[in-house]
Amino acid sequence: MNKPITILFGTRPEAIKVAPVILKLREKNIPVRVIHTGQHAELADEILRTFDIKPDLRLEMMKKSQTPIDLLQRLLKSLPEWISAEHTGVLLVQGDTTTALAGALTAHHQQVPLAHLEAGLRSGDRSQPFPEEANRTLISHLADAHFAPTASARKNLLAENISPESIHITGNSVVDALQMIVKRSGHSVSEIRGKYSAEKKKLILLTTHRRENFGEPLRQIFEAVSELASRYRDLKILFPAHPNPNVQDLLHLLDHQPSIELIKPLNYLEFVPLMAASDLILTDSGGIQEEAPALGTPVLVLRKKTERPELIESGAGKLIGTDKQKIIEATEFYLQTMNHTGPAEIFGDGNTAERVVQILKEMNR
């Protein structure tokens, strides 16, 4: 009997993107072992409940005020007990988190074949995003199989002398997850907009949590959004406020505008329909850059650089940075043009998990 394929994750975005792969492996009765490091304990758990996935092992690595290097040290001490050539056929890691890097390093030293989901994303700047850009680059030079979401990601890997035979363009599994949620959602766009009193208003969804935006960039973002709310009375701006203290400490910049509503972070089953119901999304999230075009919602990216150039090239999004005036100008331009392009298969067609599982099965023979 083949040793199980092990899937390692620890954060909410990882959980969303590995969930379709886990479900597909189980559907095909392929032995799989799921390890949750707890890097994002409660946030990832919500996703697991949504997709009815129970980890085989929980490492509870989350510590208050932990730094990436603290977490990396603890993971490298713990993971070799659970990831070894003796009882791991293939290790799958996703993306660019500290959990993924620790898994890749462990697999290398334990001589376990390594597969990388969402391989090849690059911003070209190790500080944008930090530390993820360096994490994913390092993982690429340890992996045996690279599941690139797009042709552009494949091109990035080839430029780093990664073997062409090891690169597979599979699409991004976030689209698989998104389609599952859309099918389960019983709420119409009009119902969602009505819930937030936005029936006759333009609905803007704001999300921001990136480490590199903490401090002055986040202040500029909030001041821009506040100014927009003051200028345009026909706007409804929803902000699921991230619990990070760096975000919470600046919320006072928004609380004097009646058209800005601060809401609790939503679970994925609630958040996906809200993205679909919105007229525009302002975000510094990586995952939302992939999800929004699949739902047909335009997105303005609150970053200086993006590792997802396909969004910009397609016209489904625009990179605007964190300068207050640029945010205002870009949002005003969109509000005046209201250019909806409709859902687009930029990052996947919903069949990524099927492709990934087939390759994992071949690796584990």
Side-chain angles (χ1 to χ4, degrees), residues 279-301:
D279 292 300
L280 177 67
I281 299 176
L282 302 180
T283 187
D284 61 8
S285 163
I288 291 175
Q289 292 180 58
E290 299 158 344
E291 293 163 333
L295 294 168
T297 305
V299 59
L300 300 181
V301 182

Side-chain angles (χ1 to χ4, degrees), residues 137-210:
T137 303
L138 291 168
I139 294 169
S140 292
H141 291 273
L142 295 172
D144 300 286
H146 309 264
F147 300 134
T150 64
S152 177
R154 180 179 187 273
K155 184 177 179 180
N156 291 336
L157 293 167
L158 292 174
E160 296 176 9
N161 295 317
I162 302 298
S163 169
E165 291 76 19
S166 68
I167 305 171
H168 311 273
I169 300 178
T170 59
N172 197 309
S173 57
V174 73
V175 179
D176 299 40
L178 199 67
Q179 291 182 1
M180 292 179 192
I181 296 301
V182 169
K183 288 179 181 178
R184 288 173 56 183
S185 175
H187 301 290
S188 68
V189 167
S190 60
E191 287 174 328
I192 298 296
R193 294 176 70 90
K195 178 180 178 180
Y196 295 105
S197 303
E199 300 97 324
K200 298 180 180 180
K201 295 186 176 183
K202 297 181 179 72
L203 179 59
I204 296 179
L205 176 62
L206 169 68
T207 81
T208 179
H209 69 283
R210 291 297 316 166

Side-chain angles (χ1 to χ4, degrees), residues 201 228-236 257-259:
K201 295 186 176 183
L228 286 163
S230 178
R231 291 186 190 183
Y232 297 93
R233 296 301 180 184
D234 63 339
L235 292 184
K236 177 71 175 188
Q257 293 289 355
S259 58

